[in-house]
Amino acid sequence: MMKLTVLAALAGSAAAFAPAPVAQTSSALNVDFGNEIGAQMPLGFFDPLGLMKDASQDEFDRLRWVELKHGRVAMLAVVGYLTTYAGVRFPGAEDIPSGFAALSATPIDVWGQVIATFLLMECANSDQWEWGVQNVEGESPAEFKGDFRNGALDFGWDKQTDAWKMKKRAIELNNGRAAQMGILGLMVHEKLGNVDSILP
């Protein structure tokens, strides 16, 4: 009975944040983002700050890419936090603590390696056609912003249906959203000093 009460309370509170229907006016700049990936139940297309009010499709695609990238980084952050919290360390780093305490305990030369790795990943995980690195003619083969296969990696993606691809992209987007909330929660609880009570 308690679980049913909690579930009903959660469902009711989620409905409180659902966007109110707004009358759409027709104009050449008015783009319907309600059918884009990520606009799904229970909130549908959720834009509480009105950033997409007069936005173009290009601006939406840019912001969606930013959300996707933040989600990917947050997924790595959650896995990294949980891994180091469990005591797993690289050889030679056994004495470095987990969480925020690792920031001051990490040697400066390791920070140089971290920054170099970030820069390398930013260069490698980009659409190489936009950078002019590839000596090819025509448009980029990327299906969407964030598709970094660069004509080299596939893993069977091209053999799948469009519906399957859209489902997988929506799953990645939602996992990224959950990871952003997850890493924020872990950081807040660590600062509150009670992360031990939420992690085994």
Side-chain angles (χ1 to χ4, degrees):
M1 185 65 177
M2 181 65 173
K3 291 181 183 178
L4 183 60
T5 304
V6 170
L7 184 62
L10 287 174
S13 64
F17 294 103
V22 178
Q24 296 287 329
T25 58
S26 62
S27 73
L29 296 176
N30 193 8
V31 182
D32 180 25
F33 300 117
N35 296 324
E36 293 286 341
I37 294 174
Q40 51 204 42
M41 294 301 293
L43 298 178
F45 179 66
F46 186 64
D47 184 25
L49 299 178
L51 297 174
M52 296 288 98
K53 183 177 157 190
D54 295 321
S56 65
Q57 184 67 43
D58 288 340
E59 178 64 8
F60 176 84
D61 291 342
R62 186 189 71 79
L63 289 174
R64 174 51 47 88
W65 157 233
V66 169
E67 179 184 16
L68 183 63
K69 185 173 186 176
H70 280 85
R72 288 173 176 173
V73 170
M75 286 187 272
L76 290 171
V78 168
V79 170
Y81 190 101
L82 296 176
T83 302
T84 56
Y85 186 82
V88 178
R89 301 288 190 277
F90 285 115
E94 294 86 2
D95 58 337
I96 296 179
S98 63
F100 285 114
L103 296 175
S104 59
T106 303
I108 192 70
D109 55 338
V110 174
W111 281 114
Q113 294 172 3
V114 168
I115 291 170
T117 302
F118 284 165
L119 291 174
L120 180 66
M121 290 170 63
E122 281 295 312
C123 292
N125 292 327
S126 297
D127 190 346
Q128 303 299 320
W129 267 255
E130 289 181 7
W131 286 34
V133 174
Q134 302 284 351
N135 293 322
V136 295
E137 296 288 327
E139 295 286 319
S140 166
E143 292 182 27
F144 56 93
K145 285 187 92 54
D147 177 10
F148 296 141
R149 292 175 293 144
N150 289 314
L153 299 174
D154 184 12
F155 300 114
W157 179 265
D158 289 332
K159 297 174 186 167
Q160 301 298 330
T161 65
D162 287 341
W164 184 90
K165 292 177 183 180
M166 292 298 187
K167 180 181 177 186
K168 292 299 183 181
R169 288 179 58 198
I171 289 171
E172 180 187 21
L173 190 61
N174 283 327
N175 285 346
R177 290 170 175 171
Q180 290 175 65
M181 296 298 105
I183 193 63
L184 177 64
L186 288 169
M187 293 187 311
V188 167
H189 280 283
E190 182 180 338
K191 283 300 186 183
L192 290 173
N194 65 350
V195 74
D196 295 336
S197 62
I198 64 170
L199 293 178

